[in-house]
Amino acid sequence: MYRKITDYLTAWKGSQYRKPLIIQGVRQAGKTYVILQFGREHYENITYFNFETDPLLSKTFAERIEPGYLIPILSRLSGQTIIREKTLIVLDEIQLCERALTSLKYFCENAPEYHIIAAGSLLGVAVNREQFSFPVGKVDLKTLYPMDLEEYLLAFGEDQLVSGIKDCFT
């Protein structure tokens, strides 16, 4: 299913100024779907980590947040080798781990060759900062909104929209 943000992600991947990317938005807008679909189409492999479904993952970031420390551990946790510029690292529900959010600063500064996309709910990423600072200037930030009419028509077609409208009135 095509989403407009895919064009942005393609440009982000190819940019010489690429930083870790945070995609924020309301729940159920399709953040994870879009990221994983993009990863399947543009990378050799994807390592996916979800802080909501794997609460123990936060302990990895609690110890140290330098890329040189994290990459081997994340590789082991995912069961695959993370390869510079060929592996997309996905950190889902990042608002649940402040240290993971802070680690993005160090990936930007010390390991920009790793492609990282983090996802989190709009409110969680914006507000849930208690101990660690948001990595301002060290990440790219993009908001994904729910599917609009144009995206819907591209995904499902005009005939289905007309059929759906007719069903509302019958």
Side-chain angles (χ1 to χ4, degrees):
M1 172 172 16
Y2 174 77
R3 297 293 309 267
K4 293 177 194 175
I5 197 170
T6 304
D7 296 335
Y8 175 87
L9 295 174
T10 302
W12 169 82
K13 180 183 189 277
S15 173
Q16 65 179 0
Y17 304 109
R18 184 194 60 258
K19 301 173 190 172
L21 173 62
I22 298 174
I23 296 181
Q24 61 182 355
V26 297
R27 291 197 170 274
Q28 301 299 313
K31 297 178 296 291
T32 302
Y33 174 86
V34 167
I35 294 166
L36 294 177
Q37 183 67 29
F38 174 75
R40 284 189 290 274
E41 293 174 2
H42 292 88
Y43 288 88
E44 289 183 18
N45 62 345
I46 304 167
T47 55
Y48 176 80
F49 304 96
N50 186 318
F51 290 98
E52 186 170 59
T53 60
D54 186 2
L56 297 178
L57 184 59
S58 294
K59 290 184 179 184
T60 299
F61 289 85
E63 293 180 23
R64 290 176 48 194
I65 56 175
E66 298 85 18
Y69 173 80
L70 288 172
I71 290 297
I73 293 173
L74 294 176
S75 288
R76 184 176 47 79
L77 290 174
S78 69
Q80 56 186 314
T81 303
I82 295 174
I83 303 166
R84 295 178 177 110
E85 300 189 16
K86 295 184 179 188
T87 301
L88 177 61
I89 302 168
V90 180
L91 303 175
D92 206 356
E93 302 295 348
I94 196 168
Q95 77 276 3
L96 298 175
C97 182
E98 294 180 17
R99 294 278 290 174
L101 186 60
T102 302
S103 77
L104 299 178
K105 170 186 176 185
Y106 299 100
F107 276 97
C108 176
E109 292 175 349
N110 304 327
E113 64 276 12
Y114 290 102
H115 294 213
I116 300 175
I117 300 180
S121 67
L122 188 62
L123 186 59
V125 169
V127 177
N128 194 21
R129 305 277 62 83
E130 294 177 8
Q131 298 177 349
F132 303 96
S133 63
F134 188 86
V136 175
K138 303 297 181 180
V139 296
D140 291 323
L141 192 60
K142 186 73 173 168
T143 301
L144 178 66
Y145 297 98
M147 186 178 276
D148 64 17
L149 180 61
E150 181 182 7
E151 290 173 323
Y152 181 87
L153 290 174
L154 288 170
F156 301 109
E158 188 175 338
D159 291 341
Q160 195 167 2
L161 176 65
V162 171
S163 174
I165 291 171
K166 286 180 182 177
D167 289 345
C168 289
F169 295 103
T170 57

